[in-house]
Amino acid sequence: MDDAVRSDRSRFGAVLSLLLLFLVLRRYQAPRAAGQNNARGVFKAAASFIRWSRRHGPQRPVTIDLRHEPGMPKAEFLRKARALQRLGDDGNLFKAINPVRPRDGTRRVAHQQDLIRRIHQQYGTRNPALSRRLIDRITDPTRMQLDHVNELQTAGADLRNNLRYLDSFTNGRVGTQIRQQIRNLPDGTPLRINIIV
């Protein structure tokens, strides 16, 4: 009797060890180049995570609601929500691994400086007042912020081609709505967006 119990326990321990090993091996591991803090590394990390999510993450998508709130400019909210909805419909929206990769502030600064240069080139001599108003608008963080079209928390890349200016309040509230709905989901869960206006 004692030997049978020991045998059952050892078999259970072996099965449990194999299960844990399987779970550890299935966990996402970023490619070596993804650790580099440059555009190539960031792109490789995002693309690698999306491939991993499609293979090993949950297969059934979870629908989350994005709700227009008072104080959000409707056009800004719809632009953001529809961009995320398209990404979800195309199968490119997933819950990212937390904590998400930190933002690189130099990309944000370079993007803003490039936009200021282009505004000045286009309007600086022909309409200096408009040029000043546009530059003031994008440099005032209480009015406009650089937003990731595909949020970092939904596996978006911290690259300049994923940055757009968005109303500050809308940016903050949409990010909070997403975070509250996905925080308990497994990493790699595919997401779909339902827009409520």
Side-chain angles (χ1 to χ4, degrees):
M1 178 80 173
D2 213 14
D3 289 337
V5 170
R6 270 193 227 122
S7 175
D8 285 345
R9 284 184 181 167
S10 67
R11 268 194 295 254
F12 177 73
V15 169
L16 185 61
S17 297
L18 285 173
L19 180 62
L20 288 174
L21 179 63
F22 173 73
L23 291 174
V24 167
L25 292 176
R26 272 191 68 202
R27 189 162 172 81
Y28 173 69
Q29 297 292 325
R32 191 173 22 188
Q36 299 170 0
N37 191 19
N38 57 28
R40 181 173 180 262
V42 172
F43 177 78
K44 276 190 158 295
S48 168
F49 179 73
I50 288 173
R51 283 193 306 275
W52 176 87
S53 296
R54 287 183 178 144
R55 283 190 208 119
H56 302 293
Q59 298 303 305
R60 179 172 290 163
V62 173
T63 301
I64 60 174
D65 296 327
L66 292 184
R67 186 179 306 274
H68 180 264
E69 298 178 8
M72 289 182 180
K74 196 169 188 178
E76 299 262 334
F77 167 75
L78 288 174
R79 181 172 58 122
K80 171 71 174 176
R82 286 178 180 152
L84 288 169
Q85 189 176 51
R86 278 191 300 275
L87 286 164
D89 291 346
D90 293 343
N92 293 320
L93 204 64
F94 299 91
K95 182 196 183 261
I97 293 174
N98 279 318
V100 296
R101 187 181 186 131
R103 295 177 173 95
D104 183 354
T106 59
R107 286 190 190 95
R108 177 170 286 166
V109 170
H111 186 73
Q112 187 178 61
Q113 288 174 343
D114 182 48
L115 188 56
I116 289 170
R117 182 184 53 75
R118 286 189 285 148
I119 289 170
H120 187 66
Q121 282 178 346
Q122 189 166 359
Y123 301 110
T125 54
R126 288 186 291 155
N127 193 343
L130 175 62
S131 176
R132 272 193 305 277
R133 278 197 316 271
L134 290 172
I135 291 170
D136 288 345
R137 185 172 182 202
I138 66 169
T139 55
D140 181 359
T142 62
R143 295 173 68 192
M144 301 289 285
Q145 291 177 350
L146 269 174
D147 168 57
H148 291 87
V149 177
N150 185 358
E151 300 270 325
L152 298 180
Q153 62 185 338
T154 56
D158 187 25
L159 296 174
R160 285 178 64 183
N161 66 354
N162 191 32
L163 293 173
R164 300 286 182 276
Y165 273 95
L166 186 65
D167 169 70
S168 296
F169 178 70
T170 306
N171 185 27
R173 289 303 304 149
V174 168
T176 301
Q177 287 181 26
I178 293 170
R179 190 168 28 262
Q180 289 172 346
Q181 294 177 70
I182 70 172
R183 67 178 164 213
N184 295 324
L185 297 175
D187 294 341
T189 301
L191 303 172
R192 299 290 180 271
I193 302 295
N194 179 40
I195 301 173
I196 302 173
V197 181

